[in-house]
Amino acid sequence: MHDATRVIAGECTTVFEGTREREQRGDVLVVVKPDNTVLVHDAAGYQPVAWLTRAETVTMDGTRLEATDGDQHLAVDIHEEIASGRYPVSAAGEPVGECPDCGAALVRVAGAVVCTGCDARYGLPGDATVLDATCSCGLPRMRVERGREIEVCIDRDCESMDEAVAQSFDREWDCPNCEGDLRIIRRGGLMAGCEHYPECDTGFAFPAGVVVGECACGLPLFETAGGQRCLDATCDLSAPEVDPAQPS
Ligand SMILES: [Zn+2]
Ligand SMILES: [Zn+2]
Ligand SMILES: [Zn+2]
Ligand SMILES: [Zn+2]
């Protein structure tokens, strides 16, 4: 089911009280979004003449609309209503395919692919690229870099990125503290953590990048969007292993 947005066109007086006080009158378009954001638009520009973002409360009482958030207050008195209505709205984003459940457009928004027609939502890693390729389940596939390029379905219940990473890198590297194997695990984020946990609590967040070699410390070296880095984020690549200027 879709959230509804309320729209009112009419001749209104808008009074905003808060950081600054302002009263405006004119023929405007009032938009109340499902998250309680209220926007009052006049004839010019992209910016509303008055607004309150994600208000705590929005009430409609007769011809008066009021929105309150902390000590900010927005009141709109509708002197003459020209049109009003409630219309379905969805998230909008870059189209990436078609929902296999309802046939509506799937779009990429921050951190997820969502359906514009139903409740379907697939959380994505921030660095994921959604591909034109379609999974056998009907959803688009995505590419991420986790040690190597990995291509999986955007639905983790269909195909697990973690499993693909583990297939390539589980027990691939040694723990620098106890020589145990580093296992690929998820503890909040994806990690390479020592198999002897909790006796050994060595663990590294898995970087978004591909392995391009080995660091002087013995751990793998990753090429990431921010440049080369060691699996151990605290390992300083620029420091020479032995400082010749240092007296021994
Ligand atoms: Zn759908
Ligand atoms: Zn799939
Ligand atoms: Zn260890
Ligand atoms: Zn290192």
PDB file of all heavy atoms in Angstrom, residues 215 217 230 235, ligand 4:
ATOM      1  N   CYS A 215      50.429  -6.775   2.120  1.00  0.00           N
ATOM      2  CA  CYS A 215      51.032  -5.676   2.869  1.00  0.00           C
ATOM      3  C   CYS A 215      52.322  -6.175   3.529  1.00  0.00           C
ATOM      4  O   CYS A 215      52.513  -7.375   3.710  1.00  0.00           O
ATOM      5  CB  CYS A 215      50.031  -5.203   3.923  1.00  0.00           C
ATOM      6  SG  CYS A 215      50.631  -3.849   4.958  1.00  0.00           S
ATOM      7  N   CYS A 217      52.992  -6.137   6.452  1.00  0.00           N
ATOM      8  CA  CYS A 217      52.642  -6.791   7.718  1.00  0.00           C
ATOM      9  C   CYS A 217      52.145  -8.213   7.515  1.00  0.00           C
ATOM     10  O   CYS A 217      51.939  -8.951   8.474  1.00  0.00           O
ATOM     11  CB  CYS A 217      51.600  -5.968   8.468  1.00  0.00           C
ATOM     12  SG  CYS A 217      49.943  -6.104   7.748  1.00  0.00           S
ATOM     13  N   CYS A 230      45.630  -1.538   3.839  1.00  0.00           N
ATOM     14  CA  CYS A 230      45.802  -2.866   4.413  1.00  0.00           C
ATOM     15  C   CYS A 230      44.460  -3.343   4.967  1.00  0.00           C
ATOM     16  O   CYS A 230      43.587  -2.535   5.284  1.00  0.00           O
ATOM     17  CB  CYS A 230      46.839  -2.760   5.531  1.00  0.00           C
ATOM     18  SG  CYS A 230      47.156  -4.292   6.419  1.00  0.00           S
ATOM     19  N   CYS A 235      47.015  -0.167  10.105  1.00  0.00           N
ATOM     20  CA  CYS A 235      48.362  -0.437   9.597  1.00  0.00           C
ATOM     21  C   CYS A 235      48.773   0.716   8.688  1.00  0.00           C
ATOM     22  O   CYS A 235      48.067   1.050   7.733  1.00  0.00           O
ATOM     23  CB  CYS A 235      48.358  -1.760   8.827  1.00  0.00           C
ATOM     24  SG  CYS A 235      49.931  -2.174   8.081  1.00  0.00           S
TER      25      CYS A 235
HETATM   26 ZN    ZN B   4      49.474  -4.083   6.886  1.00  0.00          ZN
END
